[in-house]
Every structure is written in structure tokens, then in C-alpha cells.
Amino acid sequence: MDLESFVLEVSRLREEAENAFRDVRDAASLEEARVTFAGAKSGKLKSIQKLLGGVSPSDRPEAGRAFNEVKQAITALLEDAHDRLAEATASPAAAPLDVTLPGRPVRLGRLHPITRTIREVQGIMARLGFECVDGPEVEDQWHNFEALAIPPEHPARDPLDNFYLNVAQGQDPLLLRSQTSTVQIRVMEARKPPLRIVSLGRVYRPDTADATHYPMFHQVEGLLVEKGTTMAHLKSVLRLFASSFLGGDVHVRFRPSFFPFTEPSVEVDMEWGGRWVEMGGAGMVDPAVLAAVGYDPDQVSGFAFGLGVERIAARRYGVADIRDFYRNDVRFLEQFG
Ligand code: DAH
């Protein structure tokens, strides 16, 4: 084959390839063009390469150069077409859009009933002058027990003494707090009286889950320390809170009880809709606790209370099983519209 014919073949091939790759619209046609032109066995490039052998040795360098050029050109065409396709499928304009479809309403989420309860309680207590403060969920033994007058050998420690963290040997133990009463201590250590605070958050206990228990739940802790505080103030605050939260005239009942950090101590029941329900504990802050944080028990007195958030939410929303709060079943959650 003479040089002129070979060069002509090469330029025809180039034109043909340019047209073919320009028409590539999808992965299948790209693959087809690739096989046609650059296929290793019977691609057109391969056929032309075979013709090279028929060119006279003196013309072969020139013919070889022409062949290399078309080979590079086809490789570039292949890459371009590939990039073009990748870009088209990535751009949103390529996604088929049915402009005749009717608009769909955006589905708005809503706050979890426990979060709503927490915010509502904070709002009511704020109106009664109680500042909302946070405390850590990982606590040391001083704040979770000792400062609350629960020494290591105290039997009240047993049902609470559980979720310990791994700490380096020789370091003080850390645990997930079992009550929000820890925040009373943290606030009193950091500030001077008078004080009115509430703290709402998670606590952890080694409880088996049933309709009224869960190993993690939430508490509302309240603390007021001022001159001349009495049990009457405590009851008034709880009654105002209960009436605001549940609506109507809610009766509050105190039953004598024991907590290491209050003296006297009471269980707090609320009557709503004809039923008494136990909501938590309360009492006058024990002088030993006031002393532990450096307050003078002869100068100030205070009250404290701790209520279960799940309990008051269950009462308010008519939920019979607190486990439902944590199942993440939208059919349950959607009821709190
Ligand atoms: N911390 C107690 C508990 O987890 C509840 C409690 C009782 C909190 C009496 C108080 C209180 O502040 O005064 O069972």
C-alpha cells in the first residue's frame, strides 16, 4: 500500500470516529463506539495498524506517525465522550422532571413529647422565677452521692449505684448520674443564696423496663434557697406548677417519706381527673447538705423537689406505657400534633 492511500484511510477513520463519538448519548452507545474504533481485536484502529505492514519500509516512518496521531485522537475522543456523559448524569438538569405533577406539601417534623414537656415545664417554672440550669450527665461520686448525704455504706445508694465509666486506675470513679439532684450541689457550690433554679435532664438507673420504668428517664429538679423558706412555699410552688401544666385545679398531696438530702422528706402525689398519681419526691434541704456546700444552715433554708418528666408527660398526654416514648414509632409520635 502506498503512503498516500494509507494517509487517506487514516483521515477517513478520524472523521468517522469524530462523528460517531459526537453522537454518543448514553453508556451503551459509548461502549459501542469504543468497541468499533478502539476494540483490541477487531476495532477499526487495529485494522489500520495491520495495513501499516503493507507500506514500503521507506514510507513507514511517515505512515507510522499518521497512525499514532489518529490513535491519540481516538483516545481523546473516547475520554471526552466519557466525561461528557458523567457530567450530564451528575447534573440535576439531567434528572427527568415531570412538570405536570401536582405540588406536594412539605412534611414538617415536630418535637418529641418529652422535649415538649421539658420546654413547657421550663416555661412555667421561669414564670415562677426559677432559672433553668444544666448539669453534666457524667458525674463523680461527690455530686451524685456524698454531697447529697449518701455516704458509701448508705442503703439508699444501692439502687442508684450502677453505670460506672472506665477510668484510669487510681482516678476517682465516674458514673452516669442517677438523679438530677446532683445539679443542686453544683449550683450551690458555685453561687451564694438566694437561689431559685430548675434543672431538667436525663438520669440513669439499673431498672428493668416496664410500663412505668426505664433505665434512662428524665427528671425535673427544683431548688429554692432563701431566708425563711418553709414547706408551705414548697407546696404552693408545686401546686401552681401542677395546675399550670395539667390545667384546672390540681391537688397536691404530701406523704411522709425519706430522702438522705432532705429533712423532712415527702412523696409528692397529684390528683387530676379523679386519680392520685405519685410524681416524685421533695422536702426541705437537709442542713448537712447546706453545710457540705459551704452555706450556713442557721442563716438560710431551702426546699427541693424531683419529679419524673415521663410521669407528668404520661399523665398529661394519656400515655399508659412510658416505653412508647422511646420506641420511635411514628404512629405513636404523630398523635402529639
Ligand atoms: N432525687 C430523688 C430521686 O431521684 C428525687 C428527689 C427527692 C429530689 C427529694 C429532690 C428531693 O430534690 O428533695 O428519687
Side-chain angles (χ1 to χ4, degrees):
M1 178 179 245
D2 60 29
L3 180 63
E4 211 173 310
S5 319
F6 183 81
V7 170
L8 193 67
E9 283 293 325
V10 163
S11 67
R12 269 200 204 123
L13 174 63
R14 183 168 184 155
E15 204 180 310
E16 204 186 331
E18 278 169 359
N19 290 335
F21 281 103
R22 192 181 310 124
D23 289 343
V24 159
R25 289 281 172 274
D26 52 27
S29 54
L30 174 65
E31 178 59 9
E32 199 182 307
R34 186 192 67 78
V35 172
T36 306
F37 293 96
K41 280 206 184 104
S42 51
K44 295 193 178 207
L45 207 51
K46 196 81 196 165
S47 316
I48 290 234
Q49 192 177 11
K50 283 181 190 149
L51 295 179
L52 254 184
V55 176
S56 69
S58 57
D59 287 337
R60 219 173 276 158
E62 184 69 31
R65 217 170 294 131
F67 172 77
N68 278 335
E69 265 176 41
V70 75
K71 188 177 172 184
Q72 278 166 15
I74 287 177
T75 308
L77 285 169
L78 189 61
E79 277 171 12
D80 281 358
H82 186 271
D83 290 352
R84 204 163 16 93
L85 265 189
E87 212 172 284
T89 42
S91 83
L97 174 69
D98 183 351
V99 293
T100 65
L101 273 179
R104 271 167 284 179
V106 178
R107 272 169 60 101
L108 281 183
R110 49 178 71 106
L111 292 175
H112 191 278
I114 293 295
T115 306
R116 277 171 58 167
T117 304
I118 287 175
R119 296 204 184 164
E120 241 176 279
V121 171
Q122 289 171 334
I124 294 168
M125 295 308 293
R127 290 198 289 282
L128 294 173
F130 286 74
E131 177 196 348
C132 177
V133 297
D134 270 337
E137 284 177 34
V138 172
E139 266 297 5
D140 51 37
Q141 308 213 61
W142 168 253
H143 291 95
N144 203 68
F145 298 120
E146 270 120 65
L148 288 163
I150 315 176
E153 66 284 358
H154 199 291
R157 191 146 164 166
D158 197 43
L160 308 178
D161 211 5
N162 201 260
F163 296 112
Y164 282 87
L165 278 69
N166 282 333
V167 291
Q169 240 186 351
Q171 275 208 319
D172 285 344
L174 292 174
L175 76 163
L176 294 180
R177 68 179 177 191
S178 52
Q179 49 190 347
T180 45
S181 304
T182 52
V183 188
Q184 293 184 27
I185 304 302
R186 290 200 169 267
V187 172
M188 288 192 284
E189 281 173 338
R191 305 190 199 173
K192 293 268 151 271
L195 275 183
R196 286 186 192 198
I197 58 109
V198 272
S199 188
L200 289 93
R202 292 181 175 180
V203 300
Y204 303 82
R205 300 223 180 140
D207 286 347
T208 305
D210 62 25
T212 53
H213 295 85
Y214 208 73
M216 181 282 304
F217 58 99
H218 299 75
Q219 288 187 326
V220 190
E221 191 80 18
L223 172 72
L224 181 148
V225 184
E226 287 172 20
K227 264 191 163 64
T229 313
T230 70
M231 289 283 271
H233 297 123
L234 169 63
K235 202 164 187 184
S236 298
V237 165
L238 287 172
R239 188 156 176 201
L240 276 171
F241 162 72
S243 297
S244 308
F245 186 80
L246 295 171
D249 193 13
V250 180
H251 294 271
V252 171
R253 178 172 75 183
F254 283 173
R255 280 178 293 125
S257 185
F258 172 81
F259 295 101
F261 39 90
T262 43
E263 182 59 37
S265 304
V266 294
E267 300 290 334
V268 180
D269 300 337
M270 293 179 184
E271 192 220 357
W272 194 66
R275 261 183 67 212
W276 285 103
V277 179
E278 187 187 318
M279 293 294 189
M284 300 306 291
V285 181
D286 195 303
V289 173
L290 295 174
V293 296
Y295 286 8
D296 180 354
D298 293 329
Q299 290 298 311
V300 286
S301 55
F303 67 69
F305 61 88
L307 312 177
V309 173
E310 278 75 359
R311 286 207 178 156
I312 57 180
R315 194 91 189 100
R316 164 75 174 273
Y317 296 117
V319 173
D321 188 331
I322 66 162
R323 286 171 293 189
D324 285 334
F325 285 126
Y326 307 114
R327 283 192 229 272
N328 269 348
D329 184 336
V330 284
R331 291 168 304 177
F332 171 79
L333 296 170
E334 273 176 348
Q335 297 173 69
F336 307 93

